[in-house]
């Protein structure tokens, strides 16, 4: 059967594990990652072999940008005595109100005009 297939295809059949025919490349990957200033452990080498552009983009140093100042309003809110004082933080259109006893915090975060409620509790 192999002889018939080899004649039809004009190639010798592969009778070994195909991966054994590939030249080992981990050391080349390590060198390439080191040249780019990226981590050279096994995990990063394998991920870079599959997704080189995404790995480079992930580790690319962001351009420094000018941050808008954060405005904090610490005016006391009308909350029960057991609750922590409310605080409104405004940063690039994001507003957060914090309230609740010292073991938990109820957060209302407003992003682009849409309110999201979150409760954060201390464990332990």
């Amino acid at each position: 059967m192999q002889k018939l297939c080899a004649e039809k295809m004009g190639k010798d059949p592969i009778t070994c594990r195909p991966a054994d025919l590939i030249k080992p490349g981990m050391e080349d990957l390590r060198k390439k990652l080191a040249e780019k200033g990226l981590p050279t452990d096994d995990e990063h080498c394998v991920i870079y072999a599959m997704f080189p552009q995404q790995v480079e983009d992930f580790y690319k140093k962001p351009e420094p940008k000018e941050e808008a100042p954060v405005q904090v309003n610490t005016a006391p809110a009308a909350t029960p005595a057991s609750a922590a004082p409310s605080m409104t933080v405004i940063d690039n259109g994001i507003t957060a109100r914090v309230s609740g006893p010292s073991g938990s915090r109820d957060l209302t975060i407003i992003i682009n005009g849409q309110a999201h409620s979150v409760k954060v509790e201390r464990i332990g």
Side-chain angles (χ1 to χ4, degrees):
M1 180 64 114
Q2 285 184 355
K3 183 178 177 184
L4 179 62
C5 289
E7 289 173 5
K8 283 274 192 196
M9 298 300 294
K11 299 178 186 177
D12 290 332
I14 297 175
T15 58
C16 64
R17 186 174 153 256
D20 292 339
L21 301 174
I22 299 172
K23 175 186 156 214
M26 282 297 267
E27 288 310 312
D28 291 339
L29 283 170
R30 283 187 210 290
K31 288 177 189 172
K32 192 180 285 190
L33 286 169
E35 288 170 3
K36 296 176 183 281
L38 301 173
T40 59
D41 58 277
D42 289 349
E43 184 177 357
H44 283 87
C45 287
V46 171
I47 293 171
Y48 184 82
M50 294 185 293
F51 309 106
Q53 188 60 53
Q54 288 80 355
V55 171
E56 288 181 30
D57 289 348
F58 182 77
Y59 284 102
K60 189 185 314 179
K61 293 182 180 171
E63 294 291 323
K65 60 181 182 179
E66 198 170 306
E67 293 287 328
V70 175
Q71 302 170 11
V72 178
N73 177 5
T74 57
T79 58
S82 63
S86 290
M87 181 171 53
T88 304
V89 179
I90 303 170
D91 181 18
N92 296 330
I94 300 174
T95 304
R97 285 190 177 80
V98 181
S99 63
S102 62
S104 69
R105 297 284 187 260
D106 292 315
L107 302 175
T108 301
I109 302 173
I110 302 169
I111 302 174
N112 297 328
Q114 191 171 23
H116 304 274
S117 296
V118 179
K119 182 171 189 145
V120 180
E121 295 181 352
R122 182 179 302 244
I123 298 176

